[in-house]
Amino acid sequence: MPPPPSDADYMQRALALARRAAAQGEVPVGAVLVRGGEILGEGANCPIAHHDPSAHAEIEALRAAGRAVGDYRLAGATLYVTLEPCIMCASAIVHARLERVVFGAWDPKAGAAGSIADVFTIPQLNHRVDVFGGVLAEECATLLLEFFRARRA
């Protein structure tokens, strides 16, 4: 019997989704939501295509998972995302009651897991999420850097 997928394995899936977003002209961010070894939802950035500023990869994965399980509370789940969540996404993650967030690249301009703010440590919030950053960070960051370099060229 093969070992269960690792954080890096799920991050590879999120990277595949991010590459798909890039191919569609969206900022390359992908997210995979997992509970008990089962993928409940996936998402890729699509605010341009959906004409929706909230259509970040994390939100898309949360929406898909909520529909799949019939509940907006996703206790016990882990979200794998290629970029540190922004304030909007971090707040939605807390509201969904996720257990963990694992992200790849840090976002020094908008990251809300420690870069510009840390939503996950606000003491007044009634839920705590374990956060771990830096999984496949170089690969995640390179994808973003190459995307923006190509757009500026």
Side-chain angles (χ1 to χ4, degrees), residues 9-52:
D9 293 329
Y10 288 120
M11 191 62 73
Q12 285 291 350
R13 177 64 190 148
L15 275 162
L17 293 163
R19 287 184 193 98
R20 186 180 311 157
Q24 297 173 354
E26 302 277 1
V27 174
V29 179
V32 178
L33 200 141
V34 178
R35 183 168 59 192
E38 177 186 359
I39 294 176
L40 300 179
E42 297 181 329
N45 263 9
C46 57
I48 297 167
H50 290 178
H51 311 288
D52 179 355

Side-chain angles (χ1 to χ4, degrees), residues 49-120:
H50 290 178
H51 311 288
D52 179 355
S54 70
H56 289 194
E58 300 95 321
I59 301 298
E60 294 297 303
L62 288 167
R63 288 174 177 159
R67 285 189 299 269
V69 301
D71 195 351
Y72 72 101
R73 299 282 196 216
L74 300 164
T78 297
L79 181 70
Y80 297 90
V81 60
T82 58
L83 182 64
E84 178 183 4
C86 70
I87 291 172
M88 173 186 70
C89 292
S91 298
I93 289 163
V94 170
H95 191 65
R97 305 295 194 265
L98 299 190
E99 183 175 328
R100 295 174 68 220
V101 172
V102 178
F103 67 88
W106 294 88
D107 185 352
K109 294 182 179 179
S115 287
I116 65 160
D118 194 345
V119 168
F120 300 107

